[in-house]
Amino acid sequence: MMQNHLADALALAGNVRQLFVATADANGIPHLAIAERITLEREDTVGVTAWFCPRTVENVNENASVSLVVWDEQRDAGFQLIGEVTQVLDLAMLNGFIPGETVTVPQVERKLVVRVDQILTFSHAHHSDIDLA
């Protein structure tokens, strides 16, 4: 069952091109990022790729728990994927290229490899947060 809902979430992410990545540090202080794409890596594992800011990577190194949200605002329908980051892969690096900003650290495109443990519906309207998997 998880496979069907995971496939639906990935298809939705491809259509709306919005994927939110919520992490928290070791003290529970949250941080929100947005990713560019999500891919199926294995049956219960996805890869989330973006030019993540350093805080996202610091957080997942301290606290591997993550929530991924894909949401279609027009239909008010989406999914929340809850899981654990099992690996962080560096894909590409730029040093100092953000127009109009002084950059002190290189920008790194990374892939977060996430084992998905739960899939929930996500919407602005009332919903139950019952695991779909």
Side-chain angles (χ1 to χ4, degrees):
M1 188 66 115
M2 179 183 277
Q3 277 290 79
N4 293 342
H5 296 301
L6 197 50
D8 291 343
L10 270 62
L12 181 61
N15 289 335
V16 298
R17 301 188 51 77
Q18 290 185 47
L19 177 65
F20 298 97
V21 180
T23 62
D25 67 13
N27 295 315
I29 297 172
H31 177 72
L32 187 62
I34 192 160
E36 296 167 12
R37 62 188 169 277
I38 184 170
T39 56
L40 185 65
E41 301 291 312
R42 290 183 295 280
E43 181 177 300
D44 64 346
T45 303
V46 297
V48 181
T49 304
W51 293 87
F52 289 111
C53 62
R55 174 77 44 91
T56 298
V57 177
E58 290 168 9
N59 283 357
V60 300
N61 285 332
E62 295 177 4
N63 176 356
S65 296
V66 65
S67 173
L68 310 173
V69 172
V70 57
W71 179 52
D72 181 343
E73 181 180 7
Q74 299 300 318
R75 292 187 3 223
D76 188 27
F79 297 93
Q80 180 178 188
L81 312 177
I82 298 172
E84 181 175 310
V85 175
T86 60
Q87 193 174 17
V88 178
L89 303 171
D90 291 351
L91 304 177
M93 182 181 292
L94 289 175
N95 194 1
F97 182 73
I98 297 180
E101 288 189 32
T102 302
V103 178
T104 58
V105 296
Q107 298 83 43
V108 180
E109 183 181 34
R110 294 185 169 98
K111 179 189 284 188
L112 305 180
V113 179
V114 178
R115 186 191 69 244
V116 178
D117 298 320
Q118 295 180 334
I119 301 175
L120 312 175
T121 59
F122 184 87
S123 68
H124 179 51
H126 297 289
H127 56 283
S128 64
D129 280 344
I130 294 174
D131 190 355
L132 297 173

